[in-house]
Amino acid sequence: MQSPQSEKANLLLLGIAFILIGLNLRPILASVGPLLPSIQEDISLSFTLASMLTLLPVLAMGLGCFAGFSIAKRLGFNTVMTGSLLLLIVATAMRFWAMDASWLICSALLAGIGIALIQTIMPAMIKLNFGERVPLMMGLYVTAIMGGAALAASSAPFIGMNLGWRAGLGHWTWLGVVALALWLMVKHNAALPNQTAEQTVQLSFWRFRRSWLLAIFFALGTSCYVCVLAWLAPYAVELGYSQTQSGLVLGFLTSMEVIAGLVFPWLASKSTDRRAIIALLCLLQLIGFMGLALAPQVSLFLWAGLAGLGIGGIFPLGLIVTMDHQQNPMLAGKLTAFVQGVGYTIAAISPWIAGLIRDNFNSFNSAWLLLGGISLMAWILSWQFNPQGYARQYQVTRCVS
């Protein structure tokens, strides 16, 4: 039997491993936008086709969430985590040798599958291993996801300038290797969901109105997130910023997401009612997107920063509110997987729509206005997240799946 100090040390290492894994889940997406001008100079890639580099992995992330628990049940949670990290490493390394758009798109799709499986099982593992510290650990994990995006967006142009755009996209392989090495060291310390106990109480979440409400809320927030990842840097280039400066704009936005991911989940943990925090985050998004569309000359960094604060808080809050609805770790994980599955599948379309807008109107302004409207819709939906009613939401229909 382990001593309390040993258990704390093992839990700390497991938390660091989860954070490091989170850092790997967005560089393959965030590194594309700042390097898009260089990529388009070298290979044939329209804005609509370039949107596939975001659409396909996000779509794979959505569809993969539906199958993630079935795969984990058959192969084991540890095996799925290890295999998913390997898949992400291979997909990222492929970009060192990308010769055309199809190679990039193939790597994006493979990465999306790996990311989907990790994001499906991670909430259940966090809820099971961290108990009362779940909001804090979820905040750190989601912040790490956004931190990986910030790191990639900021540094990719500098790497691309010196080593070429393929290196700017592919060098994130080393980050995956480090995460895999640490995970292999600590995976035996992770408590795993009890599949047999979980079979005594299961819910078919797709039957419940609240599941769809949570999924749509997550989809709205994620649509804003993936659109800025795909198109903020190209938008900055069109406004006259250099490729390096455009990467810094996106890096600044994602840095604000990191700050928001740390601060707002902590603030939300002070009360079981998260609606006031969500309202503030939606307002920040709305102001940021309106500024990008209507007054970019004032300060692109200002509007990007405000939008980043909103996006960075909405993303973890969407997951935390979802997990609030279920006390059982396995059911909380399955509900989160459903919400992410539907949410990512819907959100995958948003960068493609924005790319179409850019190709047809030669401007991203309408896309930013659309995202402002989405922020308003998310605020309206969030009014229904009254924690006093959570217990009633899943009492009507219970079934064994």
Side-chain angles (χ1 to χ4, degrees), residues 73-151:
K73 185 176 180 179
R74 176 169 298 183
L75 301 179
F77 279 73
N78 283 348
T79 301
V80 169
M81 184 70 78
T82 302
S84 299
L85 285 169
L86 283 170
L87 191 60
L88 187 55
I89 290 169
V90 170
T92 308
M94 286 174 61
R95 297 192 162 184
F96 280 115
W97 299 279
M99 301 307 297
D100 53 30
S102 62
W103 190 269
L104 289 174
I105 290 172
C106 181
S107 67
L109 186 58
L110 288 176
I113 295 171
I115 293 169
L117 295 175
I118 292 172
Q119 291 185 160
T120 300
I121 65 175
M122 187 65 86
M125 296 185 73
I126 288 176
K127 193 170 183 71
L128 184 61
N129 284 276
F130 289 89
E132 295 180 354
R133 300 185 183 92
V134 165
L136 174 62
M137 190 61 225
M138 279 300 297
L140 291 173
Y141 163 67
V142 174
T143 299
I145 293 177
M146 295 180 291
L151 184 63

Side-chain angles (χ1 to χ4, degrees), residues 44-62:
S44 179
L45 194 68
S46 67
F47 284 96
T48 304
L49 187 58
S51 71
M52 294 294 148
L53 299 178
T54 304
L55 185 155
L56 287 176
V58 175
L59 182 61
M61 285 155 58

Side-chain angles (χ1 to χ4, degrees), residues 63-75:
L63 298 177
C65 285
F66 295 117
F69 269 95
S70 296
I71 295 172
K73 185 176 180 179
R74 176 169 298 183
L75 301 179

Side-chain angles (χ1 to χ4, degrees), residues 31 43 53 56 65 68 72 74 105 113 121 136 147 150 168 170 181 184 186 203 221 285 290 307 358 372 393 395:
S31 58
I43 62 177
L53 299 178
L56 287 176
C65 285
R74 176 169 298 183
I105 290 172
I113 295 171
I121 65 175
L136 174 62
L184 292 175
V186 304
L203 300 177
Q285 280 190 177
M290 292 299 101
R358 168 58 183 78
Q393 299 302 323
Q395 289 180 343

Side-chain angles (χ1 to χ4, degrees), residues 64-374:
C65 285
F66 295 117
F69 269 95
S70 296
I71 295 172
K73 185 176 180 179
R74 176 169 298 183
L75 301 179
F77 279 73
N78 283 348
T79 301
V80 169
M81 184 70 78
T82 302
S84 299
L85 285 169
L86 283 170
L87 191 60
L88 187 55
I89 290 169
V90 170
T92 308
M94 286 174 61
R95 297 192 162 184
F96 280 115
W97 299 279
M99 301 307 297
D100 53 30
S102 62
W103 190 269
L104 289 174
I105 290 172
C106 181
S107 67
L109 186 58
L110 288 176
I113 295 171
I115 293 169
L117 295 175
I118 292 172
Q119 291 185 160
T120 300
I121 65 175
M122 187 65 86
M125 296 185 73
I126 288 176
K127 193 170 183 71
L128 184 61
N129 284 276
F130 289 89
E132 295 180 354
R133 300 185 183 92
V134 165
L136 174 62
M137 190 61 225
M138 279 300 297
L140 291 173
Y141 163 67
V142 174
T143 299
I145 293 177
M146 295 180 291
L151 184 63
S154 300
S155 62
F158 294 96
I159 297 169
M161 187 184 306
N162 293 291
L163 301 174
W165 62 264
R166 290 176 180 85
L169 297 178
H171 87 287
W172 301 105
T173 304
W174 66 263
L175 188 61
V177 172
V178 174
L180 177 61
L182 181 57
W183 168 248
L184 292 175
M185 290 173 55
V186 304
K187 67 177 184 177
H188 62 277
N189 295 328
L192 302 178
N194 188 332
Q195 295 284 350
T196 56
E198 171 267 334
Q199 290 176 1
T200 62
V201 52
Q202 289 195 23
L203 300 177
S204 295
F205 289 114
W206 64 272
R207 297 176 180 269
F208 293 87
R209 177 181 177 273
R210 176 51 59 96
S211 301
W212 290 96
L213 178 65
L214 289 166
I216 292 171
F217 178 79
F218 185 79
L220 295 176
T222 305
S223 294
C224 297
Y225 179 66
V226 296
C227 271
V228 296
L229 276 185
W231 300 126
L232 180 61
Y235 178 61
V237 170
E238 291 188 350
L239 294 177
Y241 288 70
S242 70
Q243 191 165 310
T244 300
Q245 290 171 330
S246 70
L248 291 175
V249 172
L250 181 56
F252 180 69
L253 178 140
T254 51
S255 297
M256 292 300 101
E257 291 176 349
V258 171
I259 293 173
L262 290 171
V263 172
F264 289 107
W266 174 75
L267 290 175
S269 69
K270 303 297 182 181
S271 169
T272 57
D273 192 341
R274 328 285 191 187
R275 289 177 294 177
I277 299 297
I278 291 174
L280 173 60
L281 295 170
C282 291
L283 178 62
L284 289 170
Q285 280 190 177
L286 179 62
I287 295 172
F289 287 129
M290 292 299 101
L292 287 174
L294 304 177
Q297 71 281 358
V298 172
S299 174
L300 202 59
F301 281 92
L302 171 63
W303 307 130
L306 291 174
L309 287 173
I311 294 168
I314 283 289
F315 187 61
L317 261 293
L319 295 177
I320 290 169
V321 167
T322 298
M323 296 175 73
D324 286 343
H325 283 73
Q326 295 292 333
Q327 295 304 310
N328 181 289
M330 195 68 178
L331 291 180
K334 285 196 169 185
L335 176 59
T336 306
F338 174 86
V339 167
Q340 289 184 102
V342 175
Y344 280 122
T345 301
I346 295 173
I349 305 171
S350 60
W352 176 71
I353 292 174
L356 281 178
I357 290 172
R358 168 58 183 78
D359 280 339
N360 287 280
F361 297 99
N362 293 318
S363 172
F364 285 111
N365 288 349
S366 296
W368 304 132
L369 291 173
L370 180 60
L371 293 179
I374 285 175

